Amino acid sequence: MIRTRGLVKRYGPIAALDGVDLDVPPGIVYGLIGPNGAGKTTLLSLLAGLRRPTAGDIVIDRGARAVLPDTPRFDPWLTAAEVVSLAARLAGPGAREDLNAVLAEAGLAEAARRRVGGFSRGMLQRLGLAATVVGRPEILLLDEPAAALDPGGRREVLDLIRRLRGRATVVFSSHILADVQEVSDWVGILDQGRLRFQGPVDELLVARSRPTYRVRVHSGRDGVAAGLRQTSWVENVEVLDDQTLRVRVNSSEDAERGLMGVLDRSGARVAAVEPEALDLEDIFLEATR
Amino acid sequence: MSLWRLEWLRLVRTRRLAALVGVYVFFGLLGPLTARYMGDILSRFGGNITVIVPDPVPADGIATFAGDAQQIGLLVAVVVAAGALTIDALPEMSIFLRSRTRSAGRLLRPRLVVSMLAAAGAFLVGLAAAWYETAVLLGGVPVGPLLAGAGFGILYLGFAVTVVAAVAARSRSVVVSAAITLLFLLVLAIPEIVPAVGIWLPSHLVGALDDLVRGGGITDYLRAAAVTVVAAAGLLAVAVKVQARREV
């Protein structure tokens, strides 16, 4: 379990974190999202004990912690196997894992004996992950763990994070909202040093959702938009392109009863009407607007 | 793979150990040679001027080595130590170690000890070379005073490494750590011009090897040695405390 109360971190007059109350239940994957400069790295550094808070409290369960910075670097004259071996040794005497298996899981089996000075950024990221998970730490703090990876590598990292669920408490930050939505149990939205939203991903999506429909027409787009805007249960009509509208309504029931009638009365040639699922990106944009 | 092996590999794979030993051995071989043939060299380049150089004695071979070793050798030893002890020179690298090491002392100890041992070992290898060549070219040097002088020389090197540790605890640059350390050691030697003060200073140990092989007394250096040990312990405590409080 990780909990912070009134966490503040100031750099001179600037508050990187301003009263953050973080709650991370044990064994979950917690995705931390926020724009650049929101305070994600600062928050992870405080949780890792690498920086001290200006004010507030941090309570973290006892146990081994491992941190992955956004751009991991290692002494270039070490081999990948030596880096993981060192990480395992530092994790404690109980860490007796098969290092080759850990390297293989990170996709570095063939590069195990190579010195890391010649590694690409993606390979360093994979090595950083291998060094982070080795020794099975109870708490993992990952700063943009998939940032430097190609799509295949990103998929592997997400799968690895998913496999950690229940085995460890994982807090990871990411700019890729789809990744956070895919693997996180809980999500926290950080903006300008403040935690705007926090909670289980599903609850957040349901609580913040407004029924939205996507309407595609072959002709008569403006007439459809005008008709919808005059309708009481329509909250907003957004023109996406020449043929597509996004219609947000305040009642699914009213929309299901009346939407087709409005389209019919407009005389437009309707190609498709489909409900639109809300995703984390919408909530993120709304929260940080 | 332990933190101790990490430091050993740092010395070997970055060729810092080779550079360190190479410098001391170079001066160990050059010192007695210079002392033996200084008269010939000066007379060859003196032209019409007659240069009278006293006949070299065995102590001159060791003294020439000691002079070079305490300057160029110390410089290299400080740079090598700064490379190991400036932990936060690359924050991403230090995050890896700091987040997995609960105490600053645990992180610092291998870096400090290995740096000290490397400097001391290189100094001893260089001294052994100087001693052997001196014996061949100029005659034997009494072993007791030689070892005592070596001990004081190593103590001073160890002190220099602890200065690096204290400076590096607040620095993020290897070059800055080394430069400030060398400046500090230089400034610390200035009060040596007052003999009553100088005998208490760590820098007094720099001349011990030269003096002892020429028949000087060990007791002249005991006060400086005691102050050096106490100062080194204090610097270590400062280094650990500052490192522990440091934010990455």
Side-chain angles (χ1 to χ4, degrees):
Chain A
M1 183 268 297
I2 301 171
R3 179 187 297 153
T4 71
R5 287 293 172 265
L7 197 62
V8 175
K9 180 64 180 176
R10 289 187 167 278
Y11 297 108
I14 297 165
L17 292 177
D18 190 8
V20 171
D21 294 338
L22 189 78
D23 285 296
V24 184
I28 70 158
V29 176
Y30 187 109
L32 198 57
I33 56 176
N36 287 333
K40 303 187 296 292
T41 299
T42 299
L43 180 55
L44 290 174
S45 297
L46 289 172
L47 298 178
L50 296 167
R51 296 180 200 173
R52 289 185 304 283
T54 308
D57 299 313
I58 301 173
V59 179
I60 300 183
D61 281 344
R62 291 177 67 86
R65 263 178 262 177
V67 182
L68 177 69
D70 56 348
T71 51
R73 288 178 72 174
F74 304 96
D75 287 308
W77 34 267
L78 288 174
T79 66
E82 285 168 343
V83 169
V84 177
S85 169
L86 178 63
R89 181 71 173 259
L90 294 175
R96 289 284 176 271
E97 286 184 66
D98 180 355
L99 301 184
N100 289 329
V102 173
L103 282 163
E105 194 173 28
L108 292 170
E110 290 179 8
R113 306 291 159 205
R114 276 175 52 195
R115 293 194 182 183
V116 303
F119 277 21
S120 67
R121 192 172 166 215
M123 290 173 82
L124 284 173
Q125 195 87 26
R126 288 162 182 267
L127 180 58
L129 265 168
T132 304
V133 300
V134 75
R136 300 178 186 275
E138 284 92 344
I139 294 167
L140 287 101
L141 306 167
L142 316 174
D143 195 1
E144 303 277 358
L149 300 174
D150 55 30
R154 207 175 104 234
R155 170 56 38 208
E156 288 170 19
V157 167
L158 294 178
D159 289 343
L160 194 145
I161 292 174
R162 191 182 286 115
R163 286 199 296 276
L164 291 168
R165 182 180 289 132
R167 268 169 45 188
T169 304
V170 182
V171 180
F172 82 104
S173 69
S174 179
H175 282 107
I176 306 167
L177 304 182
D179 292 354
V180 174
Q181 186 171 352
E182 183 183 333
V183 299
S184 300
D185 303 298
W186 277 46
V187 65
I189 300 177
L190 202 59
D191 181 40
Q192 296 180 336
R194 294 187 175 179
L195 199 57
R196 305 288 181 188
F197 294 99
Q198 174 179 242
V201 174
D202 294 342
E203 272 184 29
L204 197 64
L205 291 172
V206 170
R208 303 292 303 173
S209 69
R210 291 278 186 283
T212 305
Y213 295 85
R214 189 172 284 239
V215 177
R216 200 152 58 81
V217 295
H218 290 306
S219 65
R221 181 201 68 182
D222 294 341
V224 172
L228 286 167
R229 284 183 180 125
Q230 289 168 4
T231 308
S232 62
W233 41 264
V234 172
E235 269 191 7
N236 182 46
V237 179
E238 188 181 351
V239 177
L240 299 179
D241 57 41
D242 289 346
Q243 296 184 318
T244 317
L245 299 165
R246 178 184 285 142
V247 184
R248 197 163 72 183
V249 302
N250 53 28
S251 161
S252 295
E253 201 176 326
D254 288 340
E256 285 162 7
R257 282 207 183 97
L259 183 58
M260 300 311 285
V262 174
L263 297 176
D264 184 36
R265 285 192 293 279
S266 72
R269 287 176 57 210
V270 178
V273 177
E274 56 187 357
E276 192 174 73
L278 189 72
D279 64 17
L280 205 51
E281 187 166 345
D282 300 309
I283 294 174
F284 174 78
L285 290 173
E286 190 182 315
T288 57
R289 194 170 290 154
Chain B
M1 175 84 158
S2 67
L3 289 171
W4 292 92
R5 181 162 168 72
L6 177 70
E7 292 316 305
W8 171 248
L9 292 179
R10 186 191 310 282
L11 277 177
V12 174
R13 290 190 183 164
T14 60
R15 297 185 173 86
R16 292 174 198 188
L17 186 62
L20 197 55
V21 173
V23 164
Y24 277 105
V25 168
F26 174 73
F27 287 117
L29 296 173
L30 188 69
L33 209 62
T34 311
R36 170 67 182 80
Y37 295 107
M38 183 55 78
D40 296 340
I41 295 166
L42 290 176
S43 60
R44 184 170 293 260
F45 291 103
N48 295 327
I49 302 166
T50 305
V51 181
I52 300 170
V53 179
D55 287 340
V57 296
D60 292 337
I62 300 299
T64 311
F65 161 73
D68 293 332
Q70 297 293 11
Q71 290 174 21
I72 310 297
L74 178 69
L75 174 75
V76 177
V78 163
V79 170
V80 168
L85 290 162
T86 311
I87 298 169
D88 295 326
L90 288 169
E92 298 89 349
M93 232 182 268
S94 76
I95 285 173
F96 170 67
L97 294 170
R98 284 181 181 277
S99 61
R100 290 163 175 80
T101 316
R102 281 283 155 252
S103 86
R106 188 186 171 201
L107 189 56
L108 210 53
R109 200 176 306 125
R111 290 169 184 254
L112 192 83
V113 172
V114 171
S115 296
M116 282 180 175
L117 289 177
F123 176 81
L124 285 175
V125 172
L127 182 62
W131 171 77
Y132 176 75
E133 202 173 67
T134 297
V136 170
L137 297 175
L138 300 167
V141 177
V143 174
L146 184 81
L147 292 178
F152 288 127
I154 287 170
L155 184 59
Y156 184 72
L157 275 175
F159 170 74
V161 172
T162 60
V163 175
V164 176
V167 172
R170 289 196 64 85
S171 166
R172 290 191 191 275
S173 158
V174 174
V175 174
V176 169
S177 298
I180 292 177
T181 299
L182 291 168
L183 189 67
F184 177 82
L185 294 174
L186 197 67
V187 170
L188 197 65
I190 291 174
E192 277 264 351
I193 53 176
V194 182
V197 177
I199 56 171
W200 292 93
L201 296 174
S203 53
H204 190 53
L205 301 175
V206 171
L209 180 58
D210 181 4
D211 185 39
L212 292 178
V213 293
R214 291 183 194 282
I218 288 178
T219 51
D220 291 347
Y221 297 95
L222 294 181
R223 280 164 293 197
V227 170
T228 302
V229 169
V230 172
L235 287 165
L236 280 184
V238 168
V240 171
K241 191 172 180 181
V242 174
Q243 286 282 10
R245 291 186 55 77
R246 182 156 200 181
E247 296 192 357
V248 183

